[in-house]
CSV table of all heavy atoms in Angstrom, one decimal:
chain,number,residue,atom,x,y,z
A,447,MET,N,80.4,103.6,104.0
A,447,MET,CA,79.0,104.0,104.2
A,447,MET,C,78.8,104.3,105.7
A,447,MET,O,77.7,104.8,106.1
A,447,MET,CB,78.1,102.9,103.8
A,447,MET,CG,77.8,102.8,102.4
A,447,MET,SD,76.8,104.3,102.0
A,447,MET,CE,77.0,104.2,100.2
A,474,ARG,N,100.2,104.8,111.7
A,474,ARG,CA,99.7,105.9,112.6
A,474,ARG,C,98.6,105.3,113.5
A,474,ARG,O,98.0,106.1,114.3
A,474,ARG,CB,99.1,107.0,111.7
A,474,ARG,CG,100.1,107.7,110.9
A,474,ARG,CD,99.7,109.0,110.4
A,474,ARG,NE,98.5,108.9,109.6
A,474,ARG,CZ,97.6,109.9,109.5
A,474,ARG,NH1,97.8,111.0,110.0
A,474,ARG,NH2,96.5,109.7,108.7
A,526,VAL,N,89.2,102.8,129.4
A,526,VAL,CA,89.4,101.4,129.2
A,526,VAL,C,88.9,101.0,127.8
A,526,VAL,O,87.7,101.2,127.6
A,526,VAL,CB,88.8,100.5,130.3
A,526,VAL,CG1,89.0,99.1,130.0
A,526,VAL,CG2,89.3,100.9,131.7
A,528,THR,N,87.9,98.4,125.0
A,528,THR,CA,87.6,97.0,124.7
A,528,THR,C,87.3,96.8,123.2
A,528,THR,O,86.6,97.6,122.6
A,528,THR,CB,86.3,96.6,125.5
A,528,THR,OG1,86.6,96.9,126.9
A,528,THR,CG2,86.0,95.1,125.4
A,540,ASP,N,71.2,89.4,110.4
A,540,ASP,CA,70.5,89.7,109.1
A,540,ASP,C,69.8,88.4,108.7
A,540,ASP,O,68.6,88.5,108.3
A,540,ASP,CB,71.6,90.1,108.1
A,540,ASP,CG,70.9,90.5,106.8
A,540,ASP,OD1,69.9,91.2,106.8
A,540,ASP,OD2,71.4,90.1,105.7
A,597,ILE,N,86.5,76.3,116.3
A,597,ILE,CA,85.1,76.0,116.3
A,597,ILE,C,84.9,74.6,116.9
A,597,ILE,O,84.0,74.4,117.8
A,597,ILE,CB,84.5,76.1,114.9
A,597,ILE,CG1,84.4,77.5,114.4
A,597,ILE,CG2,83.1,75.4,114.8
A,597,ILE,CD1,84.0,77.7,113.0
A,653,LEU,N,67.8,75.9,99.3
A,653,LEU,CA,69.1,76.5,99.8
A,653,LEU,C,69.0,78.0,99.9
A,653,LEU,O,68.4,78.7,99.1
A,653,LEU,CB,70.2,76.2,98.7
A,653,LEU,CG,71.6,76.6,99.1
A,653,LEU,CD1,72.2,75.7,100.2
A,653,LEU,CD2,72.5,76.4,97.8
Side-chain angles (χ1 to χ4, degrees):
M447 279 291 165
R474 297 197 302 153
V526 178
T528 306
D540 185 46
I597 290 173
L653 189 68

